[in-house]
Amino acid sequence: MTTAEAQPALDFVRQIVAEDVKANKHAGRVVTRFPPEPNGYLHIGHAKAICLDFGVAQEFGGTCHLRFDDTNPTKEEQKYIDAIKADIRWLGFEWGEHEYYASDYFQQLYDWAVALITEGKAYVDELTAEQIREHRGTLTEPGRESPSRNRSPKENLDLFERMKNGEFPDGSRVLRAKIDMASPNLNMRDPVLYRILHATHPRTGEAWCVYPMYDWAHGQSDSIEGITHSLCTLEFEDHRPLYDWFVEQLGIHHPQQIEFARLNLTYVVMSKRKLLELVEDRHVDGWDDPRMPTLCGLRRRGYTPEAIRNLCAKVGVTKHNSLTDAALLEHTLRDDLNKRSPRVMGVLRPLRVVIENYPEDQVEELEAINNPEDESMGTRTVPFSRVVYIERDDFREDPPRKFFRLAPGKEVRLRYAYFITCTDVVKDENTGEVTELRCTYDPATRGGDSPDGRKVKGTLHWVSASHALSAEVRLYDRLFTVPDPTGDKSGKDYREFLNPDSIEVLTDCKVEPSLGNAQPGDRFQFERLGYFCIDRDSSDGRLVINRTVTLRDSWAKIEQASSKK
Ligand code: ATP
Ligand code: MG
């Protein structure tokens, strides 16, 4: 690994764990878990939880379980399970033998529900979901009891068993805990534990037609696995009394739940439901669209696991919800890519340049440095010949002041090659568009060095026309036009803020021939243009390249500005 990763400071979660270990709580053991619901792909918010769950376990010599909270068969699929596992491994974490599924505990959870019913602490209710909501009351008004609430345990046991046996249709009955309809905490107002769902489960098949609610399954699954520190996001703080109530009633191991703030990033949405909408409504090209904040999208775009882990370390673990500037993620990304990416030359919008005094059939192999940040990456040769392409933007017929690139009569350096001077401009007769430049070169400047101390201000990237490979390059911009698309004060739907220009596809790009062997996933810096990654749409004879990020680091500027203050 070439990247020095930021060491996570002892945040409040790690402080608690450190104290517990010191006090020999749980016999000094640390067992955490990452509990995804297999109903979508992981996003960068999940990465924060993964880094914390696995990170804490690693740092304290403990273990971290991967547990799929697969309690909703209508939304969950094996493909998500596989993708989640691949993404966690890509991020750099491993759970070994500790792969678990809430569905493995369905029988135990059922038996515990029966135990609660027997003790008069749970009951079967015929109210509809709508009625249950109405009865629940509000933060200022207590709830109302269901007419079924005081049914005898015997009757409840019979009904629950018949629910399990498939005698009743979906939605006709639920099992509820009997706690307190007047509790100030709405989660304690007789929460639903089981619902009827005649659905095929990816793992248990047809075995069950009652399924535990997340709230009933989650804490008990933690308990079964002997989790010591159950780390979850802040919205579960209000659920903690309920989880505590369950394990106390059942008299089983009591994991300690600790809540931390979610990661939110500017210019994206992070909820799985919204990401699914973007995919289904075709606003993006699938879950791994390089504009998505999903781990598979970021990977396809060219992000490194190190950059993502480093972002999580920099953001830290706190109790306050906040919005992290996407520029910070781009900063950790550039920082990492700068060290590891080989430099190559590619031209996005080619302009033909004919070097008139360069011999027709001559080709020179010129030496180029692969990474000025890392000498061990060595050098390569790039072919130079009479006709090259430069970037259209690097030429102005009528240059403004301080335009140090090419213009009629001006001299510039072609990187690693020669100084050239523009002598003539060829235009399309009809449109007036510049189609070709005529130049001369100075043979004494081979390698790009001036023999007589003559200075040129501009250094351009280029490719040899007859050697270049054609490529499609996809440039990306932010997916949304506002930093917080779901937080609009006037209540506009987040989709109204989709950026219509979030992707630009350039089909006529030219890249140096060394890219001929590049494989999907390979990363490069195109000199002066940014960091790029070979896309999986590439195949024999077709080169598709994503721009991961430009070279301009707005975060570094923000940091500089604030350190000057
Ligand atoms: P979403 O709200 O995007 O649908 P979720 O919380 O329902 O996500 P889960 O699969 O249940 O998705 O999440 C697994 C774990 O990841 C949970 O412990 C959850 O708290 C955590 N997590 C989800 N989103 C974030 C986030 N933005 N930041 C930190 N942790 C997160
Ligand atoms: Mg969840």
Side-chain angles (χ1 to χ4, degrees):
M1 221 167 281
T2 56
T3 311
E5 290 187 43
Q7 276 304 311
L10 227 49
D11 51 63
F12 82 96
V13 170
R14 288 173 166 91
Q15 275 171 24
I16 295 172
V17 176
E19 275 160 31
D20 288 351
V21 170
K22 206 165 146 205
N24 211 29
K25 199 172 165 184
H26 312 290
R29 277 181 321 123
V30 174
V31 187
T32 60
R33 86 286 170 268
F34 174 66
E37 258 178 279
N39 61 356
Y41 293 84
L42 297 181
H43 52 61
I44 190 164
H46 292 117
K48 174 172 180 179
I50 294 169
C51 289
L52 182 63
D53 293 326
F54 283 91
V56 163
Q58 269 170 12
E59 290 154 36
F60 292 92
T63 46
C64 180
H65 297 183
L66 171 60
R67 182 179 66 247
F68 289 97
D69 266 324
D70 55 346
T71 53
N72 186 357
T74 59
K75 296 221 170 109
E76 295 159 3
E77 290 182 50
Q78 184 62 39
K79 70 170 185 196
Y80 295 131
I81 293 178
D82 297 337
I84 287 169
K85 283 161 54 173
D87 283 347
I88 298 172
R89 289 208 166 104
W90 175 75
L91 202 55
F93 298 101
E94 180 55 55
W95 54 94
E97 61 196 317
H98 298 290
E99 180 173 327
Y100 305 108
Y101 294 81
S103 56
D104 291 340
Y105 314 138
F106 280 174
Q107 185 63 49
Q108 176 68 76
L109 293 168
Y110 180 83
D111 294 343
W112 277 333
V114 168
L116 283 191
I117 298 171
T118 309
E119 290 170 25
K121 292 171 186 163
Y123 60 98
V124 172
D125 199 353
E126 286 88 1
L127 293 186
T128 62
E130 180 65 36
Q131 289 168 321
I132 290 179
R133 235 187 330 273
E134 281 166 18
H135 276 68
R136 191 181 298 131
T138 63
L139 284 173
T140 50
E141 277 174 42
R144 280 178 293 134
E145 296 189 355
S146 161
S148 315
R149 194 172 197 261
N150 293 315
R151 209 167 8 218
S152 73
K154 188 162 170 282
E155 238 181 306
N156 281 319
L157 284 172
D158 173 62
L159 283 168
F160 188 48
E161 179 157 14
R162 289 165 61 198
M163 278 169 63
K164 182 194 74 164
N165 291 342
E167 286 186 35
F168 307 119
D170 286 4
S172 60
R173 281 169 180 79
V174 292
L175 183 74
R176 297 177 70 177
K178 188 169 173 179
I179 309 179
D180 180 2
M181 287 307 291
S183 170
N185 182 339
L186 268 64
N187 294 306
M188 301 298 275
R189 295 184 187 172
D190 292 11
V192 174
L193 307 187
Y194 273 92
R195 66 236 149 114
I196 303 173
L197 270 182
H198 291 268
T200 308
H201 187 282
R203 290 177 61 87
T204 60
E206 312 289 329
W208 296 90
C209 62
V210 288
Y211 287 94
M213 300 300 290
Y214 181 85
D215 275 349
W216 173 245
H218 189 81
Q220 276 71 266
S221 300
D222 278 353
S223 176
I224 291 170
E225 291 177 16
I227 301 300
T228 57
H229 300 85
S230 177
L231 311 177
C232 63
T233 39
L234 286 180
E235 68 274 20
F236 290 102
E237 198 160 17
D238 290 346
H239 297 238
R240 177 156 32 93
L242 176 61
Y243 300 167
D244 289 348
W245 189 86
F246 288 146
V247 294
E248 275 156 29
Q249 302 308 310
L250 298 170
I252 57 177
H253 165 71
H254 193 155
Q256 179 182 1
Q257 175 172 304
I258 307 168
E259 305 87 9
F260 63 93
R262 285 180 164 256
L263 174 72
N264 299 300
L265 261 194
T266 53
Y267 298 101
V268 290
V269 294
M270 208 85 98
S271 113
K272 270 189 275 185
R273 185 179 59 78
K274 295 196 176 79
L275 294 175
L276 181 64
E277 280 170 359
L278 291 177
V279 172
E280 286 183 339
D281 301 347
R282 309 210 119 267
H283 295 297
V284 294
D285 184 22
W287 285 92
D288 72 344
D289 185 300
R291 291 165 292 177
M292 292 278 271
T294 49
L295 294 184
C296 52
L298 293 168
R299 175 165 65 235
R300 185 171 172 196
R301 172 93 170 245
Y303 277 71
T304 60
E306 288 80 359
I308 295 173
R309 294 203 301 263
N310 233 341
L311 172 84
C312 294
K314 275 185 191 279
V315 168
V317 181
T318 70
K319 280 260 181 203
H320 312 287
N321 275 320
S322 63
L323 196 54
T324 296
D325 193 330
L328 179 59
L329 174 60
E330 290 172 0
H331 172 70
T332 62
L333 176 67
R334 287 189 185 96
D335 193 41
D336 187 37
L337 290 176
N338 180 38
K339 291 166 197 146
R340 67 169 72 230
S341 305
R343 273 55 169 171
V344 291
M345 291 195 284
V347 174
L348 297 181
R349 298 172 181 87
L351 175 61
R352 209 176 126 87
V353 174
V354 179
I355 302 165
E356 295 191 299
N357 58 339
Y358 195 87
E360 287 269 359
D361 301 323
Q362 184 169 311
V363 177
E364 283 176 277
E365 291 290 339
L366 301 172
E367 188 173 46
I369 296 168
N370 285 336
N371 189 346
E373 300 285 321
D374 182 356
E375 264 184 32
S376 72
M377 289 171 74
T379 59
R380 68 186 185 291
T381 58
V382 283
F384 184 78
S385 64
R386 184 178 147 92
V387 183
V388 300
Y389 292 118
I390 64 165
E391 207 69 60
R392 230 161 228 291
D393 285 353
D394 282 337
F395 172 78
R396 291 280 186 88
E397 197 173 7
D398 229 342
R401 254 165 43 89
K402 297 205 173 166
F403 182 84
F404 298 126
R405 295 171 261 167
L406 199 56
K410 289 275 160 55
E411 185 172 46
V412 294
R413 174 190 293 108
L414 293 182
R415 178 93 158 140
Y416 300 123
Y418 291 101
F419 287 9
I420 59 166
T421 304
C422 178
T423 51
D424 201 4
V425 180
V426 182
K427 292 183 190 171
D428 183 301
E429 276 178 15
N430 299 319
T431 63
E433 191 198 13
V434 176
T435 54
E436 188 178 288
L437 303 180
R438 296 269 153 177
C439 294
T440 55
Y441 85 118
D442 176 356
T445 57
R446 192 176 197 270
D449 296 321
S450 147
D452 54 7
R454 185 165 94 238
K455 293 236 165 22
V456 290
K457 283 216 165 127
T459 299
L460 310 187
H461 59 274
W462 54 273
V463 290
S464 162
S466 57
H467 300 88
L469 306 174
S470 294
E472 172 178 323
V473 176
R474 301 172 182 166
L475 306 179
Y476 301 101
D477 196 355
R478 307 213 185 285
L479 188 51
F480 291 93
T481 54
V482 295
D484 186 10
T486 52
D488 180 58
K489 297 277 185 300
S490 63
K492 274 193 199 159
D493 186 90
Y494 71 98
R495 281 165 287 204
E496 295 196 34
F497 301 107
L498 277 161
N499 177 5
D501 301 317
S502 59
I503 180 168
E504 182 181 4
V505 180
L506 303 174
T507 52
D508 185 31
C509 309
K510 302 289 180 187
V511 303
E512 67 171 62
S514 71
L515 264 73
N517 299 321
Q519 298 299 313
D522 286 356
R523 304 186 187 93
F524 303 90
Q525 185 196 99
F526 279 130
E527 298 220 9
R528 300 175 66 224
L529 298 175
Y531 295 98
F532 293 73
C533 179
I534 309 291
D535 191 72
R536 64 164 168 73
D537 284 347
S538 300
S539 57
D540 279 350
R542 180 170 183 234
L543 197 50
V544 181
I545 304 174
N546 296 311
R547 179 157 70 191
T548 310
V549 67
T550 60
L551 294 176
R552 200 180 46 244
D553 191 338
S554 53
W555 186 262
K557 274 193 207 130
I558 295 169
E559 270 186 334
Q560 264 169 17
S562 63
S563 70
K564 277 193 200 129
K565 266 179 209 157

